[in-house]
Amino acid sequence: ACQHRLWPEIDRISMEQLRYARLGVGEGGWQLFAEDGEMKMYKREEEVNGMVVDPLKACHMVRGVTGHEMCHYFFSPDVRMDWETTVEQMTVIETIAEDTLVFLQVHKRIWPASQRDSLFWSHMRQVPDHNDRDGHDIWIVCNHSTENPDFPSNNGKFVRVTLTVCLVCQTFIDPPKDGAQIVRDNITCKITYCSVVNPGGWAPASVLRAVYKREYPKFLKRFTAYVIDQCKEKPIMF
Ligand SMILES: CCCCCc1ccc(-c2ccc(S(=O)(=O)CCO)cc2)cc1/C=C\c1ccccn1
């Protein structure tokens, strides 16, 4: 992967997104728009050329799974259609490395806007987290739009969105007493999900904001429930 032409961008954007995800929501005009138990979702209202591109940041704490497991299922193309309800078709159009793929996705149409597709590289990596007391590693998946001459955005069929998404996960272990083996009940995963999606062409602001308000909480709840369910009978992947 290190010699691939996209590698410098992949490395830079992934690390930028890690820093961005770890910034608190205290400053920068974030407004809480949805809450469900441990899950808190924030957004900023931003428009680019009259198009809604509201950045989103979701924070969640999930008991019983590790950050590695969360990122593994978020990254894996094999299970994408099991949890990702916004997608109608998904293709891996390039394998840059085993931890770096290029996806082409057709998203479900959001009436009355025209149907969208997205083309993005997806990179998963483990980042040692030295500045954290209980020193647990951080796992990240970063998805960022890219171009490919074989899949031009002006393909006439779909409007191409541009997006940057990151899932940053940190595992916390509450060690059991008397040195017993760690079980799932002893682990918690702190999740930060950030996304900026530019719809690529005009879409009514009211429709987009309503969709995001309704769909993002469902999206994250569904994904985390899926991972919990997939992991519960399996050995812990630290
Ligand atoms: C006018 C309609 C514009 C929006 C269409 C759209 C574009 C992109 C995306 C999207 C959503 C999640 C990712 S990801 O987190 O990287 C995982 C891989 O799929 C990437 C892209 C979705 C949707 C469409 C609907 C929508 C938007 C958020 C939430 C729920 N539904």
Side-chain angles (χ1 to χ4, degrees):
C2 300
Q3 71 288 347
H4 190 279
R5 68 175 180 80
L6 281 175
W7 180 249
E9 174 187 294
I10 291 168
D11 192 39
R12 174 173 57 80
I13 302 258
S14 298
M15 290 300 96
E16 269 172 23
Q17 284 298 303
L18 173 60
R19 280 192 296 277
Y20 173 70
R22 297 178 75 183
L23 293 176
V25 286
E27 70 290 325
W30 292 99
Q31 49 179 293
L32 181 68
F33 74 88
E35 218 171 333
D36 186 315
E38 294 292 323
M39 182 174 71
K40 292 181 171 52
M41 298 201 115
Y42 304 85
K43 70 168 182 175
R44 285 204 312 260
E45 296 210 346
E46 284 178 15
E47 301 195 2
V48 168
N49 307 327
M51 288 186 298
V52 165
V53 294
D54 298 355
L56 178 118
K57 183 178 273 197
C59 305
H60 200 3
M61 292 288 275
V62 180
R63 178 183 287 277
V65 292
T66 66
H68 186 182
E69 290 168 333
M70 271 289 161
C71 286
H72 169 79
Y73 286 99
F74 185 73
F75 176 79
S76 169
D78 304 346
V79 300
R80 172 104 1 125
M81 299 308 279
D82 293 351
W83 60 267
E84 179 34 311
T85 55
T86 80
V87 168
E88 227 168 55
Q89 286 165 37
M90 180 223 57
T91 318
V92 174
I93 60 166
E94 189 180 354
T95 298
I96 295 176
E98 58 154 339
D99 63 7
T100 309
L101 305 172
V102 182
F103 287 88
L104 176 65
Q105 299 194 153
V106 176
H107 294 272
K108 286 179 182 155
R109 183 168 176 240
I110 295 177
W111 186 88
S114 41
Q115 192 160 18
R116 260 70 180 173
D117 69 0
S118 58
L119 196 155
F120 56 91
W121 51 256
S122 183
H123 175 59
M124 177 164 70
R125 114 159 42 166
Q126 179 177 11
V127 178
D129 181 51
H130 24 269
N131 64 359
D132 186 295
R133 292 170 313 291
D134 34 11
H136 292 284
D137 285 340
I138 287 181
W139 282 83
I140 176 172
V141 174
C142 185
N143 297 342
H144 181 75
S145 291
T146 190
E147 293 176 348
N148 181 308
D150 303 340
F151 304 90
S153 52
N154 54 6
N155 59 32
K157 287 194 292 294
F158 308 111
V159 173
R160 175 73 46 90
V161 302
T162 51
L163 60 88
T164 303
V165 168
C166 74
L167 181 71
V168 175
C169 298
Q170 182 161 28
T171 309
F172 292 90
I173 298 173
D174 178 24
K177 309 283 173 282
D178 55 50
Q181 191 202 21
I182 292 171
V183 294
R184 288 196 176 277
D185 226 23
N186 307 130
I187 54 181
T188 304
C189 180
K190 180 172 184 289
I191 297 173
T192 305
Y193 173 88
C194 300
S195 101
V196 180
V197 175
N198 182 319
W202 188 81
S206 55
V207 168
L208 267 182
R209 288 188 166 130
V211 162
Y212 291 168
K213 188 174 173 70
R214 185 183 67 242
E215 293 294 332
Y216 268 118
K218 270 166 50 182
F219 171 84
L220 201 60
K221 275 185 71 166
R222 181 184 173 89
F223 171 64
T224 51
Y226 173 80
V227 176
I228 290 166
D229 186 59
Q230 288 297 309
C231 290
K232 62 187 174 192
E233 307 301 331
K234 292 183 181 112
I236 300 171
M237 183 164 60
F238 287 99

